[in-house]
Amino acid sequence: MKGQAGNRGTEGHKLWLFDLAHGNLTEDQIVRGFIKYYVLEGCQMEHVKDDLVFRTAHGAGYSGQAMESLRAALEQAAEPH
């Protein structure tokens, strides 16, 4: 299995942040992206907000909605099916 370390800062990561900020992702895409770009890098949810605010042009204006979407998707994924 190919390692996922080093995915933050890539074009794929930037696109995921853009799509998260603009509500363009399904819950599954949100969870998979969070795992790929954050969990496997040893990061937490707060890092997503930091990346949105400080490393993109999306800024704080989109971070609230993006974080709500992330939390909702993670909560849904954690529920037993």
Side-chain angles (χ1 to χ4, degrees):
M1 181 174 188
K2 183 179 173 185
Q4 297 296 319
N7 284 319
R8 283 181 74 210
T10 64
E11 289 304 312
H13 177 233
K14 292 174 189 174
L15 181 59
W16 182 83
L17 285 170
F18 176 88
D19 286 337
L20 177 67
H22 291 89
N24 298 336
L25 300 173
T26 65
E27 284 185 347
D28 185 59
Q29 291 171 318
I30 292 171
V31 172
R32 288 177 179 273
F34 180 68
I35 291 169
K36 180 177 182 177
Y37 299 117
Y38 294 91
V39 174
L40 293 175
E41 300 274 334
C43 298
Q44 301 174 11
M45 286 182 58
E46 292 77 26
H47 292 100
V48 177
K49 185 174 183 179
D50 287 347
D51 284 350
L52 285 165
V53 172
F54 298 113
R55 294 193 170 97
T56 72
H58 318 312
Y62 288 97
S63 66
Q65 180 270 326
M67 296 307 294
E68 287 176 21
S69 296
L70 175 58
R71 180 171 298 284
L74 291 172
E75 286 174 355
Q76 180 65 29
E79 289 295 317
H81 295 276

